[in-house]
Amino acid sequence: MLLRIEDTDRARSTNEAIDAILDGLAWLGLDWDEEPVFQFSRAERHRLVVDELLSANRAYHCYSTPEELDEMRRIAQSEGRPPRYDGRWRDRTPQEAPVGVKPVVRLKAPREGETAINDAVQGRVVIPNADLDDLVLLRSDGTPTYMLAVVVDDHDMGITHVIRGVDHLTNAARQMQIYAALDWPVPEMAHIPLIHGPDGAKLSKRHGALGVEAYRALGYLPAALRNYLVRLGWSHGDEEFFSTEDMIHAFGLQGVGKSPARFDFAKLENINGHYMRAMSDADLLDAFRKALPYLPDGPDAMERLDKGLWPIFEKLLPALKERAKTLVELLDSASFLFSERPLKLDDKASSVLAPEAQKLLSLLTPQLAALSLWTASSVEESVRAFAQDHNVKLGQIAQPLRAALTGRVVSPPIFDVLEALDREESLARLADQSG
RNA sequence: GCGCCCAUCGUCUAGCGGUCUAGGACGUCGCCCUUUCACGGCGAAAACAGGGGUUCGAGUCCCCUUGGGCGCGCCA
């Protein structure tokens, strides 16, 4: 697989922008083999193609200034016509060129008839040529535009399928005019629907859309995101889960619908949770460690876990992962492990630790301290006996225990927590809260 | 404004003229499991945008309306 970076817009193609693309794709697991091709490095080739077009009289120099073009569009708009370039330089000679104006090169596009796109997803789409003006091939500074560059590169690189968002549909028509002027065969085209925001409004950077890197910080797994994304606008019967292998076998343009989908975080979370549970503990641990630096408060948590707490984390991971839909939730649900004593209790935990409960805990603590063996089952046995002796339900002692040990009212099974925390830490936390 | 495209539960979708009293998934709501929360299991509510045609028969074909989206740069 080959990666091509379309960097013909020099101002926007900053190193940061390019790194963000590379980084995002790599994280998502969308790999490429050879060195990326930077489109701008092929500018010389693009200019050569334009020379051909010029000498074949399929393109021409245009001396209209940006101000002139603005004016043109404004007037057209006010007269109810489409805002287009009017082709005023189409058939003029260079002798008429105003001095001091650097020209652009425009394609001499057909003015009548229509251009048809045979699209694998959209079907046959016909655009009147009157709605397509003479697009710019070379800017006045001599650099190629994207419109020209894609066509030349796709042709030179032997691209068989052009698959992209519908926002490129009319570009496809324009590009076909370039193919036609060059007498080149047109690759298979497929324009897939766009993804909308949860509110149905458009999803774009300008409207709060997230870059790939944001999904990493949100704690999603690349495999889960891929799975979620592939099911947006495409389906394969009733199947919901697809491994990379499955996708490769099952995916086809025939299954792609034409209507746009809304992005639904609830479903993404569900799928992510599914992947987390389905993963082996070792793989999940690995994914978690890799993601940690990017998660909110992750670096801080990493520092604390590095102080010998990883074994405890690992021990509780099977219980923890049942309760988390994202890596962020996983981190949050594990935070009691490395919280410093005395623990800060959340509101619900404080109310669980009423005086009555505190009294029970102070009675239980010495009994636990006397245990010769500290395992989940030995502790459980002891606590169950305690509950019976004091004629309380298990929950009446388990909940205060949970509150005292985790600072919360929700956690993995409490006896597993006791075991993971170990005797010393558990007893210390109990002492902190049994007042 | 002009051009193009879209329209099944709240959301993602199955459906390619009769098997649809419309299926699955997420979400929601019950119940079960249970030391909490999850997981898991069982169950429920929930949709063919509206109107005309075509046809023996329309969610499925055609037209209109309405509602959405995309495009109209010396951006990509």
Side-chain angles (χ1 to χ4, degrees):
Chain A
M1 211 194 298
L2 184 71
L3 176 66
R4 188 175 77 212
I5 303 284
E6 320 227 290
D7 59 346
T8 47
D9 184 339
R10 304 313 293 156
R12 286 205 304 180
S13 300
T14 60
N15 283 339
E16 298 81 78
I18 290 167
D19 285 345
I21 293 169
L22 265 28
D23 202 45
L25 287 175
W27 173 73
L28 247 188
L30 267 23
D31 280 333
W32 57 97
D33 302 308
E34 300 155 53
E35 273 299 293
V37 172
F38 288 88
Q39 191 157 57
F40 192 69
S41 72
R42 295 176 39 81
E44 211 39 58
R45 162 67 175 152
H46 302 146
R47 276 188 283 268
L48 250 31
V49 170
V50 170
D51 286 343
E52 281 176 38
L53 254 12
L54 244 14
S55 49
N57 196 28
R58 306 259 211 179
Y60 61 95
H61 292 279
C62 164
Y63 293 86
S64 293
T65 60
E67 296 71 38
E68 225 179 311
L69 294 171
D70 280 349
E71 183 68 5
M72 223 179 278
R73 292 190 192 101
R74 209 180 48 75
I75 293 174
Q77 194 85 268
S78 71
E79 290 174 357
R81 290 181 291 115
R84 303 270 135 67
Y85 170 66
D86 61 10
R88 60 181 61 170
W89 283 93
R90 270 195 148 221
D91 300 304
R92 292 219 239 170
T93 60
Q95 282 75 15
E96 300 177 69
V99 284
V101 178
K102 292 240 194 173
V104 299
V105 177
R106 287 182 184 271
L107 179 76
K108 199 174 275 186
R111 314 200 85 173
E112 276 152 32
E114 47 198 26
T115 298
I117 307 155
N118 288 309
D119 193 281
V121 169
Q122 303 293 327
R124 182 180 159 86
V125 179
V126 177
I127 313 258
N129 285 334
D131 291 323
L132 270 14
D133 58 5
D134 292 345
L135 66 276
V136 173
L137 300 169
L138 243 39
R139 302 187 182 95
S140 56
D141 65 0
T143 58
T145 60
Y146 155 83
M147 212 60 89
L148 192 237
V150 254
V151 170
V152 176
D153 290 351
D154 285 349
H155 174 261
D156 289 359
M157 295 166 90
I159 301 301
T160 57
H161 295 254
V162 173
I163 305 174
R164 31 127 90 150
V166 261
D167 50 338
H168 279 281
L169 194 61
T170 38
N171 287 341
R174 304 180 110 94
Q175 287 159 15
M176 286 185 62
Q177 297 181 331
I178 303 179
Y179 279 106
L182 255 9
D183 283 319
W184 286 349
V186 181
E188 179 92 357
M189 299 273 191
H191 289 86
I192 61 179
L194 265 17
I195 299 171
H196 290 181
D199 57 352
K202 62 191 123 224
L203 190 64
S204 72
K205 279 284 174 72
R206 291 186 278 281
H207 288 262
L210 274 16
V212 237
E213 70 286 349
Y215 292 89
R216 167 165 54 188
L218 254 15
Y220 296 111
L221 261 13
L225 187 55
R226 273 184 260 134
N227 196 144
Y228 175 68
L229 256 16
V230 80
R231 281 284 289 100
L232 242 36
W234 174 82
S235 64
H236 188 70
D238 283 341
E239 282 179 62
E240 296 287 344
F241 294 100
F242 296 87
S243 68
T244 303
E245 279 294 285
D246 295 339
M247 286 181 199
I248 292 171
H249 288 301
F251 190 84
L253 259 12
Q254 329 76 252
V256 179
K258 293 204 225 179
S259 46
R262 295 188 190 198
F263 198 97
D264 181 12
F265 279 93
K267 184 141 188 178
L268 207 210
E269 289 206 345
N270 173 274
I271 290 176
N272 201 69
H274 176 95
Y275 271 82
M276 284 175 64
R277 270 173 267 128
M279 259 175 147
S280 73
D281 291 343
D283 287 348
L284 181 57
L285 183 66
D286 192 53
F288 180 68
R289 294 184 101 120
K290 279 209 191 94
L292 211 39
Y294 302 98
L295 304 182
D297 298 323
D300 181 53
M302 174 102 100
E303 206 172 297
R304 296 183 190 215
L305 282 162
D306 280 341
K307 290 179 186 156
L309 289 175
W310 281 109
I312 301 180
F313 178 83
E314 212 174 329
K315 195 164 190 177
L316 273 180
L317 189 55
L320 254 15
K321 75 179 182 184
E322 292 291 318
R323 293 163 175 73
K325 293 196 290 290
T326 67
L327 296 176
V328 169
E329 288 183 14
L330 184 66
L331 171 59
D332 181 63
S333 69
S335 61
F336 73 88
L337 291 176
F338 48 80
S339 295
E340 280 167 27
R341 291 183 37 227
L343 259 48
K344 278 194 202 54
L345 309 181
D346 68 23
D347 291 347
K348 283 177 184 165
S350 319
S351 56
V352 164
L353 280 174
E356 202 56 13
Q358 291 189 7
K359 195 189 290 172
L360 276 176
L361 282 187
S362 54
L363 290 171
L364 173 65
T365 305
Q367 182 180 317
L368 291 178
L371 247 32
S372 57
L373 181 66
W374 191 273
T375 65
S377 52
S378 69
V379 173
E380 175 167 0
E381 199 184 332
S382 173
V383 173
R384 281 188 188 275
F386 177 89
Q388 202 155 37
D389 294 346
H390 292 76
N391 204 24
V392 294
K393 286 199 210 154
L394 189 55
Q396 288 177 269
I397 187 66
Q399 276 304 83
L401 263 176
R402 190 185 319 280
L405 291 166
T406 70
R408 301 183 180 189
V409 90
V410 169
S411 84
I414 193 60
F415 304 117
D416 293 340
V417 172
L418 265 309
E419 177 177 322
L421 244 25
D422 218 333
R423 182 199 304 266
E424 191 188 348
E425 181 68 18
S426 299
L427 259 18
R429 291 187 184 193
L430 283 176
D432 289 341
Q433 305 301 337
S434 52

